[in-house]
Amino acid sequence: MNDGVNGVALGVFIFFFLAVTVMGFLAARWRRADSDSLDEWGLGGRSFGTWVTWFLLGGDLYTAYTFVAVPAAIYAAGAAGFFAVPYTILVYPLIFTFLPRLWSVSHKHGYVTTSDFVRGRWGSKGLSLAVAVTGILATMPYIALQLVGIQAVLDVMGVGGGEATNWFVKDLPLLIAFGVLAAYTYSSGLRAPALIAFVKDTLIYIVIAVAIIYIPVKLGGFDDIFAKAGDAFAQINPATDKPRGALAPAEAGQWGYATLALGSALALFMYPHSITATLSSRSRDVIRRNTTILPLYSLMLGLLALLGFMAIAAGVKVKNGQLAIPQLFENMFPDWFAGVAFAAIGIGALVPAAIMSIAAANLFTRNIYKDFIKPDATPAQETKVSKLVSLLVKVGSLVFVLTMDKTVAINFQLLGGIWILQTFPSLVGGLFTRWFHRWALLAGWATGMIYGTAAAYGVASPTQKHFGGSSAEIPGFGEIGYIGLTAFVLNVVVTVVLTFVLRAVKAPEGVDETSPSDYTADAGDPGVKAELPSATAGAGH
């Protein structure tokens, strides 16, 4: 790591940061209608077309943490880190089957969150509350990790001083970035990250295209890169007394690899921020088109993952693996282009952090505040509460980053994936059938949450006693697998068994406020919630 501040890289970083800050505030005027409507602030007026939605979803799902953590996992352990590539391939055929149905019923009934749909479909505020609380809990550490991504870039550029520096001086750049993010999210809502996502994704594509050609040329080609990585992975790790990693997953790790990829694919679009970006689209056809073109990001992710091998071949040595890729960029690129790469990572943190905070705030406002605290809240009151909660969510995430060890944040994010997967039966199941009983769904959710949390608590790593990973032995199977998927299977089994029991005793099922035609309705169909005129004007993308 270079001594002092990389002034050129920092200058380029600041330029792009200021540019997207201006865009964030200007986004408040972008096709805006009723500023007191949660549809406007939290869903962008449900008016985004194909390209805006594509960039928004891409900016939402492929985050700064993805940019840093996926190649960092490969840098640390080898090809096991590639699990992120197959899971992002699996997810798009999956969501093609249910996201258009969710968009249609949400548009018909004005649902803003997944919990809105769960309450309407199953007639259960308790189940809706469980889904809302799970979504908020799973989102908080995810936002924190976006701030970790910004912090990694600032550390490599030498901003803020070393570990011995006064905490305020050290963290001041991160506090400034947070303050700007909070201000334009409060002002512009979902329109801010939607507009900034164009810049973010363009920068990331440019950086990866250059990196995948320029860095291998400097390192002697991919043959040399893989040879050096193979030699490095063959070395024994003193902490585990086993090889550091492998260029291909060993047979013993294949169940863990496969279950982690499948479980992650099932969980990805259960996150509130994924659904928020989806519901901002103006038609179900926009969703269908996006599921066919979003795999382009998976191609980018596969190339991005190769940077982990390049960092090893380039001789990058860092104590914190999250710094490996930023350090690789500083070592290999000219200072000015390193600044572009750092800006791509930094902006790649701002976009998803904004969407995540909006999504968590919408869950609190619609499914806790309105359902349990103030049922007669006006649209203006809902919007005001959501804006304030979005600030509190970001403050909580910032405190999380500044006061806790980064590995704790990472492991809480892994735990968040286990948790959010337990909402799958209520959400996706409800989009296709009402056979499940609402109380059985709640019991299944509780079973999955308790088992998943307890199993993750029992996982140790060389650096910590609890929450050391997301894989453990599958009960009765003898193989190591993803805890989230095991918990999900238990969730489904409990739900199905209890549904038979509760139906047999004729337990009250609750009122379904939806009808079969709601799940295929489009924006122009009779009876569908009309879009605001100014939200549709000039909406061609």
Side-chain angles (χ1 to χ4, degrees):
M1 190 176 292
N2 294 341
D3 295 328
V5 176
N6 187 332
V8 174
L10 179 61
V12 174
F13 179 89
I14 291 173
F15 168 78
F16 281 107
F17 187 83
L18 290 176
V20 299
T21 298
V22 172
M23 291 176 66
F25 285 109
L26 290 178
R29 303 181 181 181
W30 179 30
R31 292 186 295 154
R32 185 144 189 174
D34 181 7
S35 60
D36 287 335
S37 165
L38 199 57
D39 266 14
E40 284 296 321
W41 183 83
L43 291 179
R46 302 182 193 254
S47 64
F48 296 150
T50 300
W51 287 112
V52 175
T53 302
W54 187 67
F55 279 105
L56 184 62
L57 278 169
D60 189 11
L61 303 176
Y62 298 88
T63 67
Y65 183 63
T66 306
F67 206 124
V68 169
V70 171
I74 291 168
Y75 170 84
F82 270 100
F83 83 92
V85 178
Y87 102 65
T88 57
I89 294 171
L90 289 170
V91 73
Y92 297 115
L94 175 68
I95 64 175
F96 185 86
T97 66
F98 74 83
L99 276 191
R101 294 178 67 84
L102 178 62
W103 183 92
S104 291
V105 70
S106 298
H107 202 82
K108 178 70 179 288
H109 291 273
Y111 297 150
V112 174
T113 68
T114 53
S115 291
D116 282 350
F117 166 72
V118 167
R119 184 193 62 239
R121 178 61 156 164
W122 303 107
S124 172
K125 285 188 178 181
L127 185 58
S128 169
L129 177 64
V131 172
V133 170
T134 305
I136 294 170
L137 286 176
T139 301
M140 290 285 285
Y142 217 153
I143 300 172
L145 289 183
Q146 306 315 309
L147 301 180
V148 169
I150 297 177
Q151 201 169 46
V153 167
L154 295 174
D155 285 349
V156 170
M157 285 191 295
V159 177
E163 292 297 327
T165 308
N166 176 277
W167 74 268
F168 181 77
V169 174
K170 180 179 185 300
D171 294 320
L172 182 60
L174 185 63
L175 293 171
I176 294 172
F178 159 80
V180 171
L181 167 67
Y184 68 62
T185 303
Y186 186 93
S187 170
S188 304
L190 194 65
R191 284 179 169 81
L195 197 58
I196 294 171
F198 285 95
V199 177
K200 173 254 186 187
D201 290 351
T202 300
L203 286 177
I204 286 180
Y205 270 111
I206 290 172
V207 169
I208 292 176
V210 171
I212 207 69
I213 298 171
Y214 179 79
I215 296 177
V217 168
K218 291 196 70 174
L219 293 177
F222 278 102
D223 283 349
D224 284 353
I225 289 172
F226 287 123
K228 290 177 181 177
D231 292 341
F233 290 136
Q235 296 175 5
I236 301 299
N237 183 343
T240 62
D241 202 30
K242 295 179 181 179
R244 170 180 165 184
L247 285 175
E251 185 176 350
Q254 289 175 3
W255 270 94
Y257 183 92
T259 54
L260 181 57
L262 178 58
S264 299
L266 294 174
L268 184 60
F269 272 81
M270 298 301 101
Y271 278 103
H273 54 277
S274 303
I275 300 301
T276 294
T278 300
L279 296 185
S280 69
S281 304
R282 71 179 183 212
S283 74
R284 60 185 280 122
D285 283 343
V286 168
I287 304 302
R288 294 163 67 90
R289 283 194 292 269
N290 265 274
T291 59
T292 63
I293 60 177
L294 275 168
L296 287 172
Y297 280 101
S298 298
L299 173 63
M300 176 194 74
L301 187 61
L303 298 175
L304 174 65
L306 294 174
L307 295 176
F309 293 136
M310 296 179 200
I312 294 173
V316 171
K317 303 289 184 184
V318 291
K319 293 181 179 179
N320 178 359
Q322 310 306 314
L323 300 178
I325 303 312
Q327 190 61 53
L328 173 69
F329 290 159
E330 181 166 74
N331 292 354
M332 302 301 295
F333 288 145
D335 287 347
W336 70 270
F337 195 76
V340 174
F342 295 153
I345 298 174
I347 297 169
L350 297 177
V351 171
I355 304 171
M356 290 170 189
S357 65
I358 290 169
N362 288 346
L363 279 170
F364 176 86
T365 301
R366 290 297 291 259
N367 309 115
I368 297 177
Y369 175 74
K370 186 173 176 63
D371 278 354
F372 295 96
I373 300 174
K374 192 175 177 57
D376 60 345
T378 64
Q381 288 172 329
E382 284 184 6
T383 306
K384 182 178 180 180
V385 169
S386 205
K387 287 182 175 182
L388 292 173
V389 172
S390 75
L391 294 179
L392 292 176
V393 167
K394 286 190 278 287
V395 170
S397 300
L398 184 65
V399 171
F400 195 85
V401 168
L402 298 181
T403 59
M404 299 187 74
D405 185 90
K406 304 303 180 292
T407 58
V408 175
I410 293 167
N411 287 321
F412 268 107
Q413 196 276 325
L414 293 174
L415 189 60
I418 295 170
W419 288 338
I420 202 67
L421 183 52
Q422 308 318 310
T423 65
F424 191 99
S426 300
L427 176 60
V428 179
L431 290 169
F432 295 95
T433 180
R434 204 172 183 273
W435 179 80
F436 300 120
H437 195 282
R438 54 181 178 164
W439 296 346
L441 285 165
L442 191 57
W445 166 84
T447 300
M449 293 287 286
I450 292 169
Y451 171 82
T453 305
Y457 179 81
V459 176
S461 73
T463 57
Q464 54 192 100
K465 188 175 179 180
H466 302 293
F467 298 116
S470 59
S471 295
E473 184 175 314
I474 304 172
F477 203 74
E479 298 284 352
I480 300 296
Y482 178 45
I483 293 169
L485 193 59
T486 306
F488 170 72
V489 172
L490 291 173
N491 180 344
V492 172
V493 169
V494 169
T495 299
V496 170
V497 171
L498 283 182
T499 294
F500 277 114
V501 173
L502 291 166
R503 283 187 169 276
V505 300
K506 301 187 184 303
E509 297 183 19
V511 178
D512 179 9
E513 68 181 27
T514 71
S515 62
S517 62
D518 296 345
Y519 296 87
T520 55
D522 212 339
D525 293 348
V528 175
K529 183 178 169 65
E531 295 181 59
L532 295 170
S534 59
T536 56
H541 300 292

